[in-house]
Amino acid sequence: GQSLEQPSEVTAVEGAIVQINCTYQTSGFYGLSWYQQHDGGAPTFLSYNALDGLEETGRFSSFLSRSDSYGYLLLQELQMKDSASYFCAVIITGGGNKLTFGTGTQLKVEL
Amino acid sequence: EPEVTQTPSHQVTQMGQEVILRCVPISNHLYFYWYRQILGQKVEFLVSFYNNEISEKSEIFDDQFSVERPDGSNFTLKIRSTKLEDSAMYFCASSAGQGIEKLFFGSGTQLSVL
């Protein structure tokens, strides 16, 4: 089977940097995506890693270490609007067309 | 920017009734998906659909569920006989190709089974 673990909650202050970790256990790992979801609304794609290393997209970056089965999402210059749930999601080879989501991390940004 | 649209936004039904949730994926996308999310929980995969066929389905997607692309634009999820535990937010998603790392989600249909 597969498992993805994320912290359930993270709190940080406006302007700070926060890192949301994701560890996974799955066979046939292909890549890791990150999604943002505000208050039960539509999940929105943020970033994707298929190879080891850092992918940067504006204030958001994502990192992957395949050997450690670990990735993280880094949010810089936090803003109040970044308060949301963040999900990591894995793609596995031979798994057909599906993205399997983790349990999500609720990020609270405070003044 | 193109978007996935879902109707209705809310659906209330009685247990045992049939419901059809509707989605219009992004027009040039080829792969379509249904996910659901029970309040406060993770987003769960139900089914993926390509070339008028189901390409993958989860254990949740049992005989009570079916999907259809009745015309060139709509993609529907039917639940034949709803159960209380089917109450959830149902999200439709689409992707341009086999790059399923980036799915475009609709705003969801909140299904409440009474």
mmCIF file of all heavy atoms in Angstrom, chain A residues 70-97:
data_model
loop_
_atom_site.group_PDB
_atom_site.id
_atom_site.type_symbol
_atom_site.label_atom_id
_atom_site.label_comp_id
_atom_site.label_asym_id
_atom_site.label_seq_id
_atom_site.Cartn_x
_atom_site.Cartn_y
_atom_site.Cartn_z
ATOM 1 N N TYR A 70 11.155 11.646 0.851
ATOM 2 C CA TYR A 70 10.819 12.849 1.629
ATOM 3 C C TYR A 70 10.767 14.053 0.714
ATOM 4 O O TYR A 70 11.562 14.185 -0.228
ATOM 5 C CB TYR A 70 11.900 13.034 2.706
ATOM 6 C CG TYR A 70 11.973 14.390 3.349
ATOM 7 C CD1 TYR A 70 11.037 14.787 4.279
ATOM 8 C CD2 TYR A 70 13.020 15.253 3.034
ATOM 9 C CE1 TYR A 70 11.124 16.034 4.887
ATOM 10 C CE2 TYR A 70 13.110 16.494 3.631
ATOM 11 C CZ TYR A 70 12.167 16.881 4.556
ATOM 12 O OH TYR A 70 12.255 18.109 5.156
ATOM 13 N N GLY A 71 9.828 14.917 0.986
ATOM 14 C CA GLY A 71 9.766 16.180 0.269
ATOM 15 C C GLY A 71 9.248 17.259 1.185
ATOM 16 O O GLY A 71 8.746 16.989 2.294
ATOM 17 N N TYR A 72 9.395 18.485 0.774
ATOM 18 C CA TYR A 72 8.791 19.572 1.536
ATOM 19 C C TYR A 72 8.386 20.702 0.623
ATOM 20 O O TYR A 72 8.889 20.866 -0.491
ATOM 21 C CB TYR A 72 9.715 20.062 2.659
ATOM 22 C CG TYR A 72 11.022 20.717 2.249
ATOM 23 C CD1 TYR A 72 11.057 21.988 1.679
ATOM 24 C CD2 TYR A 72 12.227 20.062 2.459
ATOM 25 C CE1 TYR A 72 12.257 22.580 1.316
ATOM 26 C CE2 TYR A 72 13.434 20.657 2.114
ATOM 27 C CZ TYR A 72 13.444 21.902 1.547
ATOM 28 O OH TYR A 72 14.637 22.491 1.193
ATOM 29 N N LEU A 73 7.467 21.487 1.142
ATOM 30 C CA LEU A 73 7.026 22.722 0.500
ATOM 31 C C LEU A 73 7.514 23.870 1.364
ATOM 32 O O LEU A 73 7.316 23.861 2.576
ATOM 33 C CB LEU A 73 5.504 22.751 0.386
ATOM 34 C CG LEU A 73 4.895 23.985 -0.269
ATOM 35 C CD1 LEU A 73 5.209 23.996 -1.775
ATOM 36 C CD2 LEU A 73 3.379 24.002 -0.055
ATOM 37 N N LEU A 74 8.164 24.823 0.742
ATOM 38 C CA LEU A 74 8.703 25.974 1.460
ATOM 39 C C LEU A 74 7.940 27.216 1.020
ATOM 40 O O LEU A 74 7.850 27.490 -0.179
ATOM 41 C CB LEU A 74 10.191 26.132 1.146
ATOM 42 C CG LEU A 74 10.985 27.088 2.017
ATOM 43 C CD1 LEU A 74 11.189 26.483 3.403
ATOM 44 C CD2 LEU A 74 12.344 27.380 1.380
ATOM 45 N N LEU A 75 7.381 27.914 1.983
ATOM 46 C CA LEU A 75 6.657 29.142 1.685
ATOM 47 C C LEU A 75 7.415 30.308 2.316
ATOM 48 O O LEU A 75 7.653 30.321 3.525
ATOM 49 C CB LEU A 75 5.234 29.103 2.255
ATOM 50 C CG LEU A 75 4.274 28.049 1.695
ATOM 51 C CD1 LEU A 75 4.420 26.725 2.420
ATOM 52 C CD2 LEU A 75 2.847 28.538 1.788
ATOM 53 N N GLN A 76 7.776 31.274 1.492
ATOM 54 C CA GLN A 76 8.541 32.422 1.976
ATOM 55 C C GLN A 76 7.660 33.675 2.025
ATOM 56 O O GLN A 76 6.616 33.729 1.371
ATOM 57 C CB GLN A 76 9.737 32.672 1.051
ATOM 58 C CG GLN A 76 10.656 31.457 0.931
ATOM 59 C CD GLN A 76 11.852 31.720 0.046
ATOM 60 O OE1 GLN A 76 12.782 32.436 0.425
ATOM 61 N NE2 GLN A 76 11.850 31.153 -1.134
ATOM 62 N N GLU A 77 8.101 34.632 2.803
ATOM 63 C CA GLU A 77 7.388 35.917 2.923
ATOM 64 C C GLU A 77 5.888 35.672 3.128
ATOM 65 O O GLU A 77 5.056 36.168 2.376
ATOM 66 C CB GLU A 77 7.615 36.768 1.678
ATOM 67 C CG GLU A 77 9.083 37.089 1.439
ATOM 68 C CD GLU A 77 9.302 37.784 0.092
ATOM 69 O OE1 GLU A 77 8.327 38.302 -0.491
ATOM 70 O OE2 GLU A 77 10.441 37.774 -0.373
ATOM 71 N N LEU A 78 5.588 34.907 4.147
ATOM 72 C CA LEU A 78 4.213 34.495 4.383
ATOM 73 C C LEU A 78 3.250 35.670 4.436
ATOM 74 O O LEU A 78 3.547 36.724 5.014
ATOM 75 C CB LEU A 78 4.107 33.717 5.698
ATOM 76 C CG LEU A 78 4.487 32.246 5.659
ATOM 77 C CD1 LEU A 78 4.429 31.661 7.056
ATOM 78 C CD2 LEU A 78 3.606 31.469 4.699
ATOM 79 N N GLN A 79 2.083 35.451 3.842
ATOM 80 C CA GLN A 79 1.012 36.435 3.859
ATOM 81 C C GLN A 79 -0.219 35.792 4.494
ATOM 82 O O GLN A 79 -0.357 34.558 4.500
ATOM 83 C CB GLN A 79 0.696 36.901 2.430
ATOM 84 C CG GLN A 79 1.898 37.514 1.729
ATOM 85 C CD GLN A 79 1.627 37.825 0.263
ATOM 86 O OE1 GLN A 79 0.488 37.774 -0.208
ATOM 87 N NE2 GLN A 79 2.684 38.151 -0.475
ATOM 88 N N MET A 80 -1.107 36.616 4.978
ATOM 89 C CA MET A 80 -2.323 36.100 5.625
ATOM 90 C C MET A 80 -3.095 35.192 4.669
ATOM 91 O O MET A 80 -3.671 34.177 5.083
ATOM 92 C CB MET A 80 -3.213 37.240 6.095
ATOM 93 C CG MET A 80 -2.588 38.124 7.174
ATOM 94 S SD MET A 80 -2.240 37.209 8.682
ATOM 95 C CE MET A 80 -3.910 36.955 9.286
ATOM 96 N N LYS A 81 -3.078 35.531 3.388
ATOM 97 C CA LYS A 81 -3.841 34.746 2.417
ATOM 98 C C LYS A 81 -3.264 33.351 2.204
ATOM 99 O O LYS A 81 -3.900 32.506 1.557
ATOM 100 C CB LYS A 81 -3.896 35.474 1.073
ATOM 101 C CG LYS A 81 -2.546 35.583 0.370
ATOM 102 C CD LYS A 81 -2.678 36.278 -0.982
ATOM 103 C CE LYS A 81 -1.341 36.336 -1.699
ATOM 104 N NZ LYS A 81 -1.445 37.004 -3.023
ATOM 105 N N ASP A 82 -2.057 33.104 2.729
ATOM 106 C CA ASP A 82 -1.476 31.764 2.625
ATOM 107 C C ASP A 82 -2.092 30.791 3.627
ATOM 108 O O ASP A 82 -1.810 29.583 3.563
ATOM 109 C CB ASP A 82 0.043 31.827 2.841
ATOM 110 C CG ASP A 82 0.760 32.653 1.785
ATOM 111 O OD1 ASP A 82 0.273 32.677 0.626
ATOM 112 O OD2 ASP A 82 1.792 33.268 2.110
ATOM 113 N N SER A 83 -2.888 31.301 4.545
ATOM 114 C CA SER A 83 -3.594 30.421 5.487
ATOM 115 C C SER A 83 -4.518 29.506 4.684
ATOM 116 O O SER A 83 -5.450 29.969 4.020
ATOM 117 C CB SER A 83 -4.406 31.241 6.490
ATOM 118 O OG SER A 83 -3.561 31.972 7.352
ATOM 119 N N ALA A 84 -4.243 28.213 4.739
ATOM 120 C CA ALA A 84 -4.952 27.240 3.900
ATOM 121 C C ALA A 84 -4.470 25.848 4.294
ATOM 122 O O ALA A 84 -3.585 25.698 5.139
ATOM 123 C CB ALA A 84 -4.679 27.490 2.419
ATOM 124 N N SER A 85 -5.029 24.847 3.657
ATOM 125 C CA SER A 85 -4.515 23.479 3.789
ATOM 126 C C SER A 85 -3.597 23.182 2.616
ATOM 127 O O SER A 85 -3.879 23.601 1.486
ATOM 128 C CB SER A 85 -5.659 22.473 3.819
ATOM 129 O OG SER A 85 -6.403 22.588 5.001
ATOM 130 N N TYR A 86 -2.530 22.469 2.895
ATOM 131 C CA TYR A 86 -1.555 22.114 1.864
ATOM 132 C C TYR A 86 -1.417 20.595 1.834
ATOM 133 O O TYR A 86 -1.205 19.959 2.864
ATOM 134 C CB TYR A 86 -0.202 22.787 2.160
ATOM 135 C CG TYR A 86 -0.280 24.283 1.993
ATOM 136 C CD1 TYR A 86 -0.737 25.087 3.035
ATOM 137 C CD2 TYR A 86 0.050 24.892 0.783
ATOM 138 C CE1 TYR A 86 -0.852 26.458 2.883
ATOM 139 C CE2 TYR A 86 -0.058 26.257 0.619
ATOM 140 C CZ TYR A 86 -0.519 27.035 1.670
ATOM 141 O OH TYR A 86 -0.635 28.396 1.507
ATOM 142 N N PHE A 87 -1.561 20.048 0.634
ATOM 143 C CA PHE A 87 -1.530 18.601 0.465
ATOM 144 C C PHE A 87 -0.359 18.207 -0.432
ATOM 145 O O PHE A 87 -0.172 18.807 -1.501
ATOM 146 C CB PHE A 87 -2.813 18.106 -0.207
ATOM 147 C CG PHE A 87 -4.048 18.253 0.626
ATOM 148 C CD1 PHE A 87 -4.786 19.429 0.594
ATOM 149 C CD2 PHE A 87 -4.489 17.212 1.417
ATOM 150 C CE1 PHE A 87 -5.936 19.571 1.360
ATOM 151 C CE2 PHE A 87 -5.648 17.337 2.186
ATOM 152 C CZ PHE A 87 -6.365 18.523 2.155
ATOM 153 N N CYS A 88 0.391 17.202 -0.004
ATOM 154 C CA CYS A 88 1.303 16.564 -0.936
ATOM 155 C C CYS A 88 0.546 15.420 -1.598
ATOM 156 O O CYS A 88 -0.435 14.890 -1.033
ATOM 157 C CB CYS A 88 2.576 16.072 -0.255
ATOM 158 S SG CYS A 88 2.364 14.868 1.086
ATOM 159 N N ALA A 89 0.963 15.041 -2.783
ATOM 160 C CA ALA A 89 0.270 13.998 -3.534
ATOM 161 C C ALA A 89 1.295 13.260 -4.385
ATOM 162 O O ALA A 89 2.160 13.888 -5.000
ATOM 163 C CB ALA A 89 -0.815 14.606 -4.423
ATOM 164 N N VAL A 90 1.199 11.930 -4.401
ATOM 165 C CA VAL A 90 2.184 11.142 -5.139
ATOM 166 C C VAL A 90 1.594 10.583 -6.419
ATOM 167 O O VAL A 90 0.393 10.294 -6.515
ATOM 168 C CB VAL A 90 2.731 9.964 -4.292
ATOM 169 C CG1 VAL A 90 3.550 10.475 -3.130
ATOM 170 C CG2 VAL A 90 1.644 9.024 -3.837
ATOM 171 N N ILE A 91 2.487 10.448 -7.385
ATOM 172 C CA ILE A 91 2.188 9.720 -8.603
ATOM 173 C C ILE A 91 3.056 8.474 -8.565
ATOM 174 O O ILE A 91 4.250 8.554 -8.257
ATOM 175 C CB ILE A 91 2.559 10.535 -9.844
ATOM 176 C CG1 ILE A 91 1.810 11.866 -9.837
ATOM 177 C CG2 ILE A 91 2.257 9.764 -11.113
ATOM 178 C CD1 ILE A 91 2.395 12.866 -10.813
ATOM 179 N N ILE A 92 2.470 7.328 -8.849
ATOM 180 C CA ILE A 92 3.261 6.097 -8.878
ATOM 181 C C ILE A 92 3.208 5.502 -10.275
ATOM 182 O O ILE A 92 2.213 5.652 -10.988
ATOM 183 C CB ILE A 92 2.787 5.076 -7.822
ATOM 184 C CG1 ILE A 92 1.333 4.666 -8.042
ATOM 185 C CG2 ILE A 92 2.960 5.634 -6.426
ATOM 186 C CD1 ILE A 92 0.885 3.536 -7.135
ATOM 187 N N THR A 93 4.285 4.885 -10.673
ATOM 188 C CA THR A 93 4.306 4.217 -11.980
ATOM 189 C C THR A 93 3.447 2.966 -11.914
ATOM 190 O O THR A 93 3.366 2.309 -10.876
ATOM 191 C CB THR A 93 5.739 3.823 -12.367
ATOM 192 O OG1 THR A 93 6.283 2.991 -11.340
ATOM 193 C CG2 THR A 93 6.596 5.053 -12.532
ATOM 194 N N GLY A 94 2.797 2.681 -13.020
ATOM 195 C CA GLY A 94 1.919 1.516 -13.044
ATOM 196 C C GLY A 94 0.648 1.722 -12.242
ATOM 197 O O GLY A 94 -0.146 0.804 -12.073
ATOM 198 N N GLY A 95 0.449 2.939 -11.779
ATOM 199 C CA GLY A 95 -0.741 3.208 -10.971
ATOM 200 C C GLY A 95 -1.859 3.820 -11.777
ATOM 201 O O GLY A 95 -2.793 4.369 -11.204
ATOM 202 N N GLY A 96 -1.728 3.753 -13.075
ATOM 203 C CA GLY A 96 -2.776 4.341 -13.896
ATOM 204 C C GLY A 96 -2.799 5.841 -13.743
ATOM 205 O O GLY A 96 -1.827 6.463 -13.319
ATOM 206 N N ASN A 97 -3.921 6.427 -14.082
ATOM 207 C CA ASN A 97 -4.026 7.875 -14.002
ATOM 208 C C ASN A 97 -4.643 8.268 -12.679
ATOM 209 O O ASN A 97 -5.850 8.444 -12.581
ATOM 210 C CB ASN A 97 -4.884 8.396 -15.156
ATOM 211 C CG ASN A 97 -4.162 8.289 -16.467
ATOM 212 O OD1 ASN A 97 -4.064 7.204 -17.003
ATOM 213 N ND2 ASN A 97 -3.631 9.382 -16.934
#
